[in-house]
Amino acid sequence: MARYNAADADGYVALMTDAAVEAGYRGAALREGREGVRSGLKKMFAEFPQNRAVVHARYAVGEYVVLYEEVFRSPETAPFEVISIYSFVGDKVDRVEFVR
């Protein structure tokens, strides 16, 4: 979460497999591959330079990590809640699904 909150897209994707995917829960991919995730994050960080997330709960089960987060885009907008489900292959994130 530190890399995300530091708007460090390169550091964030360094934790992912080459074929990593970010998607809606059980849905279509939003960003595909490290480069897709990197470019999507850089665009979002440029649009919302004050973006940050607060993790309220974290659960790890097998090759999955589930985070309950509150995301703050800017002081002018209301925060939103999200559950992020991280699937791992070895020590790298292979898929992230978001429940909003």
Side-chain angles (χ1 to χ4, degrees):
M1 191 56 57
R3 294 173 191 204
Y4 178 88
N5 283 339
D8 180 4
D10 295 324
Y12 183 88
V13 300
L15 304 173
M16 303 181 112
T17 65
D18 290 336
V21 173
E22 290 188 330
Y25 182 66
R26 293 186 174 184
L30 303 170
R31 301 177 184 129
E32 295 186 64
R34 273 189 185 167
E35 292 311 310
V37 174
R38 181 190 332 271
S39 65
L41 285 176
K42 284 186 174 191
K43 181 180 176 185
M44 193 251 319
F45 293 149
E47 184 177 351
F48 301 105
Q50 296 177 327
N51 183 78
R52 67 182 174 85
V54 175
V55 176
H56 293 292
R58 179 183 326 243
Y59 305 95
V61 179
E63 295 181 354
Y64 300 94
V65 172
V66 178
L67 303 179
Y68 166 58
E69 306 170 58
E70 191 172 15
V71 179
F72 299 83
R73 293 280 195 230
S74 74
E76 297 79 31
T77 61
F80 61 89
E81 296 174 312
V82 64
I83 293 175
S84 303
I85 305 165
Y86 292 79
S87 303
F88 286 79
V89 172
D91 63 346
K92 299 283 187 182
V93 175
D94 192 56
R95 185 173 180 90
V96 184
E97 293 191 21
F98 302 105
V99 181
R100 268 186 77 180

